[in-house]
Each structure stands twice: as C-alpha cells, then as structure tokens.
Amino acid sequence: MKIAILSRNKKLYSTRRLVEAAEAHGHEVKVIDVLRCYMNITSLNPTIHYKGEVLEPFDAVIPRIGASVTFYGTAVLRQFEMMNVYPLNESVAVTRSRDKLRSAQLLARKGVGMPVTGFAHNPDDIQDLLKVVGEAPTVIKLLEGTQGIGVVLAETNKAAESVIQAFMGLKANIMVQEFIKEAGGSDIRCFVVGDKVVAAMKRQGPEGEFRSNLHRGGSASLVRLTPSERATAVRAAKIMGLGVCGVDLLRSNHGPVVMEVNSSPGLEGIEAASGKDVAEIIIKHLEKRVAEMSNSASRSRTRGKG
C-alpha cells in the first residue's frame, strides 16, 4: 500500500513509529505537513498539491492532526476522502471528537458515564450553573484547550465564579464539570483500535497536581482494566466514529466516566507503559480495513455489471 501520514513533524515519536511499522510491513509511506497542502476542489478531478507538486494517489491516509490546525487539517483530510483514499479516522469523526461540548452531548445522549457537566453563556447564570454541577471543588475547562492547558480546579464556589467570569470576559467558551475526587489525580488512557482496547495505562499527576497529562509531568504505569472500563472505552470510540483513538477514563464511585476521546493519541507513553507494539497493531488494522473496502468495492462493481 501507499500510505500518507498527515503530520507536521516527521521526527515526532508517534509519527516515526507509524512509519517504521508501515515500512516493516512493506508499505510505501510519505509524511505530509497538512499546512503545506493546497487543494483543487472540483467534482471532476479533485487533487491535492504539496510543495508545488500534485500528490500521487494513495491507498490510505493516517491523520495525525494537531488540535491547533484542526480546521485546515480536516479540510485536507476531506480532500483525501473525496479522492477515495481510505482514512484511518474520518474527517467528520476527528472534528466531532475535537469539540469537547459536542462530544459530551453525544456521549450523554447514548448513556455513557460522564462527570456532571454544565455549559452557559450569560454571567448572570453562573451561580445557578454551579448548583447544577454540584458543590466545589469544580473543574473549569476551555473548550479549545489540549494537554491539560486551560483546565482549572476551583476549590470553592466563589473561586469558580471568579474564574468563569474571567473566561467569559475574554469571550472564551468554557464548560464546568464535577470534580471526581476519588480518582486521586489519576486517569486511565485506553487505546482503542477497531472494536477492542489493545493497550491501557494509568496516568498519575505529580504531587499537588489534579491533571494527569504526561505533558504536565504525570507518570504512566501498566493498569488492569475491568470489563466495564473496556466496554465503556470501546463504546465511546464507536459513538465518536473513530477507528483508532485514546479514551480517557476516571474511576468514580459510580463506575467509569469518560473525560475525553482523543483522535490522535500519542504512542510513546502507551507503548512504554504497556510494552506493546501499538504502531504495528494500528498498521495491521489499517491493512484489514483497506482490504475489506477493496473487496466490498469489487463485489459492488461485479453486481453492477450483472
């Protein structure tokens, strides 16, 4: 196969591992910076140009699109889809997962366990919103934040009011969530490929830090999942429409609750903690899906000729 990897930096661990795994399976791989792509959008012959040249056809595309370039990155991914290139994750699913509020609404509609979450626009509604979410401490999140940036823990209702008012004053969109105290500053990253969890790790925040992101100094360790946690992670991935993703769970007193579904999960932490070759698992999944799509297309053409 010819595989395109949409990544702005070919030296990143996750990108390098995917390239290594794909080449080990005999595939031809090209790493493409989405911001250097430009497109000819036409119904007759849609094309993608890259650094002055028209990209040759690919069989599959692996999106590793950073949150800061989601809009343009998913536009490029849609162009690949228009050209009948199989996406590891579809553009609509990536966009859906990047919208924290939309993700929460979709998961809630399907009955997936989540922290109580509130959203408001008018400062006059802040006090009532905090009553809905529950007693402090309260977690306040910027909808556009990533890797723990823009996430604040307010220890009291007065502090929560002040933080929310400040964010609203900056015209920032935020949501307010209950704080799962019993999680103890840790969460569980479930790495979902296809219809199962292929690896998992527990992430623990440093002393005095409620955020467990590895980018914030958190540590990772191997963890044994319960059947309920596995089922919740797989269900969350399916609701988002993602073939490969990281589902972040908290262990609460009322079972696993989903914090986030990440469409471009990093490989370094999960491979180190689990000891599994997650990159190879992803490539094998991609091979299977492309083969299934090809066989389906062949059967459709045969029936059409009949």
Side-chain angles (χ1 to χ4, degrees), residues 186-189 200-204 219-223 251:
S186 69
D187 71 2
I188 296 172
R189 162 62 61 87
M201 64 178 173
K202 180 180 180 180
R203 302 184 300 189
Q204 181 69 52
S219 59
S221 60
L222 189 63
V223 66
R251 285 176 167 168

Side-chain angles (χ1 to χ4, degrees), residues 137-140 151-155 179 210:
T138 303
V139 178
I140 302 160
V151 181
V152 178
L153 178 63
E155 298 285 356
F179 176 57
F210 77 100

Side-chain angles (χ1 to χ4, degrees), residues 39-223:
M39 298 160 280
N40 178 11
I41 303 170
T42 172
S43 58
L44 296 176
N45 183 30
T47 56
I48 298 176
H49 297 248
Y50 184 64
K51 296 182 178 180
E53 298 180 356
V54 178
L55 286 178
E56 296 180 2
F58 287 92
D59 299 297
V61 56
I62 299 176
R64 299 289 308 176
I65 299 168
S68 63
V69 296
T70 298
F71 179 80
Y72 196 82
T74 51
V76 173
L77 182 57
R78 280 195 300 273
Q79 189 78 355
F80 275 102
E81 293 167 353
M82 285 176 61
M83 297 162 61
N84 296 316
V85 179
Y86 179 80
L88 181 68
N89 282 327
E90 294 183 352
S91 57
V92 65
V94 174
T95 303
R96 185 186 296 133
S97 68
R98 287 285 164 80
D99 187 331
K100 287 186 175 68
L101 183 62
R102 186 183 180 193
S103 297
Q105 290 172 321
L106 289 170
L107 293 170
R109 186 172 69 181
K110 295 295 184 178
V112 174
M114 291 175 50
V116 177
T117 302
F119 182 70
H121 176 75
N122 196 310
D124 293 339
D125 300 321
I126 293 175
Q127 289 188 359
D128 194 47
L129 178 69
L130 291 173
K131 290 178 183 177
V132 170
V133 174
E135 289 298 316
T138 303
V139 178
I140 302 160
K141 294 182 177 180
L142 282 173
L143 293 188
E144 294 80 16
T146 61
Q147 298 177 351
I149 299 171
V151 181
V152 178
L153 178 63
E155 298 285 356
T156 66
N157 284 348
K158 282 296 182 183
E161 286 182 40
S162 297
V163 172
I164 294 171
Q165 287 171 350
F167 278 142
M168 286 184 170
L170 295 171
K171 306 299 181 183
N173 292 313
I174 55 98
M175 65 183 187
V176 183
Q177 289 185 321
E178 76 171 308
F179 176 57
I180 308 298
K181 185 177 180 180
E182 57 269 27
S186 69
D187 71 2
I188 296 172
R189 162 62 61 87
C190 301
F191 207 104
V192 179
V193 177
D195 58 358
K196 65 180 180 179
V197 177
V198 300
M201 64 178 173
K202 180 180 180 180
R203 302 184 300 189
Q204 181 69 52
E207 186 69 29
E209 174 60 77
F210 77 100
R211 296 170 295 183
S212 57
N213 305 72
L214 299 185
H215 290 86
R216 310 242 67 79
S219 59
S221 60
L222 189 63
V223 66

